[in-house]
Amino acid sequence: MWKNLLLTLIILVLCVFILYVTIFQLDPMGEQQYVAFLALGTSGLFGIWSFFTLIFFFGAELITGYKLGNRSFLIAVRRGFLVSGLSVSLITLQFLNLLGWPEAVLVALFFSLMEWIFLTGKYY
């Protein structure tokens, strides 16, 4: 558990640092345009991913009071990835002025159905 917590926190801190440097040091309209947008998207995706992994796994450990195993951590990582994919997709659509209520509902439905597929799958 401590190894998972430490690695997730390291990823979160690195992503917050990269996001800070991207916002305050890089010029998104100059020569660094591609690097700035790539760093912003990547650090946002992995930052949201690690944040929600912390919430889903370690929050569940605190609420239940039991030490959860690696399988629960992998499920929390998957759910964190789906939430971060949803967030980054909505942010990207909003950034490109393509987001409306129907699009937001369809994207949320897509990621919800992906989680439902994982939940209904048989594990052998």
Side-chain angles (χ1 to χ4, degrees):
M1 176 184 125
W2 292 107
K3 182 177 77 168
N4 292 337
L5 176 65
L6 182 65
L7 292 174
T8 308
L9 283 175
I10 288 172
I11 292 171
L12 182 62
V13 168
L14 283 174
C15 289
V16 168
F17 177 72
I18 291 170
L19 189 65
Y20 176 80
V21 169
T22 301
I23 291 174
F24 292 111
Q25 301 293 325
L26 296 179
D27 180 21
M29 298 301 169
E31 295 177 0
Q32 302 166 339
Q33 178 180 5
Y34 298 115
V35 173
F37 286 132
L38 181 66
L40 182 70
T42 306
S43 65
L45 175 73
F46 287 111
I48 294 170
W49 188 356
S50 61
F51 177 74
F52 278 103
T53 299
L54 284 172
I55 288 175
F56 290 140
F57 182 70
F58 298 105
E61 276 195 348
L62 289 175
I63 290 173
T64 60
Y66 297 113
K67 182 179 178 184
L68 301 176
N70 285 334
R71 180 170 162 79
S72 297
F73 184 73
L74 292 175
I75 291 170
V77 168
R78 182 191 71 219
R79 289 182 179 167
F81 177 71
L82 290 173
V83 171
S84 68
L86 173 66
S87 302
V88 170
S89 298
L90 292 176
I91 290 169
T92 303
L93 288 173
Q94 179 65 33
F95 181 70
L96 297 172
N97 291 328
L98 297 173
L99 185 65
W101 285 108
E103 291 84 7
V105 169
L106 286 173
V107 171
L109 183 65
F110 172 74
F111 281 102
S112 299
L113 287 175
M114 294 229 347
E115 176 62 19
W116 185 57
I117 290 169
F118 283 118
L119 287 175
T120 58
K122 302 276 188 214
Y123 296 105
Y124 295 107

